[in-house]
Amino acid sequence: MEQIALGIFREIQHSPDRESDDYAILRAAASKLESSGVTVLLKTPEEVLAGKEQFMRYPPALVFAMCERENILALLSEWESHGVKVVNSTRAVMNTYRYRMVPLLEKKQIPVPRSLLMSTDSADGAARFLDGQPGCWIKRGDVHNTQKGDVTLCSSLSEIETRFKSFRERGISQAVLQENAPGDLIKFYGVSAAKNQHYQDFWYKWFYHKEQQLKNHPFSEKDLAALISRAAHCVDLEIFGGDAIIGKSGSIKIIDVNAWPS
């Protein structure tokens, strides 16, 4: 039977206001493979799960997937155990869940804004985290932004408690508190081998986020590239994006790293 490559779209719920962008990105990747003579199928996560028995009998040779939910990742992990190449790997995608990503980055001493992983059952530790600061970011502790309120700048303990309550009601058990680091916000995108640690050997682009008043803090693009490469390698991502803050002194902090960004 002819071997195929399977592309899996991101879940609609995980592409707020980016549904068409995500579709176009995966479709463009499929077109490149097809131009090389590869047969490509494009499916939603729901379609793959519904047809998993057929896919288990005739597994694809390659999967390139934007999906993020645990149920589809569990299936792809099973395929990986049978030798199917999945890009990004299921482990890498799970590593972008904030409750795993923040400790991984901190363990490798990759500079990130001061962060605290908390259970949404209680906001008791939030007061100590604020410690006189004007506010902090509250982010759901698992996947990235899926709807309004998943990432919020809170200015008081009461706002944090309200956000935690909202998370609990949606079944979100963990949250990350993160300092509001001042500086210029940049976005980056990259493609690299998962084990590559050398910034010279990977493709990346960066640009300033458009919705901000730029300070134009000077910084080393070489240092930025090296830090991006280290962060992607830390979570084992091959196709990735993220956000970083350039501080007044040219310091660079990684805010987020994600797989197959929009």
Side-chain angles (χ1 to χ4, degrees):
M1 186 174 181
E2 180 185 19
Q3 288 190 322
I4 62 169
L6 173 64
I8 307 177
F9 293 105
R10 199 181 327 273
E11 297 85 351
I12 293 295
Q13 302 93 329
H14 291 216
S15 294
D17 302 321
R18 295 292 185 182
E19 298 90 343
S20 59
D21 293 350
D22 283 350
Y23 179 90
I25 289 169
L26 203 72
R27 180 64 256 181
S31 295
K32 283 291 186 180
L33 288 170
E34 289 168 337
S35 69
S36 300
V38 178
T39 299
V40 179
L41 293 179
L42 293 179
K43 300 287 185 180
T44 65
E46 294 78 13
E47 289 171 332
V48 174
L49 288 168
K52 64 181 179 181
E53 291 184 5
Q54 180 181 356
F55 280 117
M56 287 303 295
R57 289 196 299 270
Y58 306 106
L62 167 71
V63 176
F64 55 108
M66 299 181 81
C67 51
E68 299 174 330
R69 289 196 169 180
E70 292 184 15
N71 57 350
I72 183 66
L73 293 179
L75 176 61
L76 297 187
S77 179
E78 186 176 353
W79 293 2
E80 285 177 315
S81 70
H82 289 85
V84 176
K85 172 67 174 177
V86 180
V87 181
N88 290 287
S89 72
T90 55
R91 184 178 74 165
V93 178
M94 286 299 300
N95 282 345
T96 67
Y97 279 40
R98 288 194 179 94
Y99 71 84
R100 293 174 62 163
M101 179 184 67
V102 171
L104 283 170
L105 295 176
E106 291 179 337
K107 182 178 179 180
K108 293 295 184 180
Q109 298 184 323
I110 293 173
V112 297
R114 186 171 62 94
S115 303
L116 177 65
L117 180 64
M118 294 186 63
S119 166
T120 57
D121 288 340
S122 172
D124 288 348
R128 292 191 299 274
F129 184 84
L130 285 172
D131 192 26
Q133 298 300 311
C136 67
W137 291 95
I138 309 299
K139 304 178 180 183
R140 62 184 295 171
D142 49 7
V143 297
H144 290 259
N145 192 25
T146 64
Q147 67 177 58
K148 185 177 181 180
D150 281 353
V151 177
T152 307
L153 183 60
C154 294
S155 59
S156 67
L157 181 59
S158 63
E159 288 185 13
I160 294 173
E161 291 171 338
T162 299
R163 182 54 45 208
F164 275 24
K165 180 176 183 292
S166 175
F167 282 162
R168 288 196 304 273
E169 291 172 348
R170 294 168 56 200
I172 300 170
S173 62
Q174 296 185 85
V176 171
L177 277 60
Q178 197 166 71
E179 71 173 333
N180 184 25
D184 292 330
L185 176 62
I186 68 168
K187 302 188 75 67
F188 58 83
Y189 301 91
V191 179
S192 177
K195 301 304 179 184
N196 172 39
Q197 300 185 59
H198 304 290
Y199 76 89
Q200 299 97 332
D201 301 327
F202 81 105
W203 176 91
Y204 87 107
K205 292 279 188 181
W206 73 269
F207 54 90
Y208 290 110
H209 193 284
K210 61 183 179 182
E211 298 175 2
Q212 64 179 316
Q213 184 175 353
L214 279 175
K215 302 297 184 181
N216 288 305
H217 297 316
F219 68 97
S220 166
E221 290 196 44
K222 182 177 179 179
D223 290 347
L224 173 65
L227 188 57
I228 289 172
S229 180
R230 285 179 57 207
H233 178 262
C234 178
V235 294
D236 290 326
L237 286 173
E238 298 175 73
I239 300 175
F240 58 90
D243 304 280
I245 284 284
I246 309 299
K248 185 176 181 180
S249 63
S251 63
I252 306 170
K253 292 183 178 180
I254 298 293
I255 297 176
D256 260 332
V257 185
N258 46 69
W260 279 93
S262 298

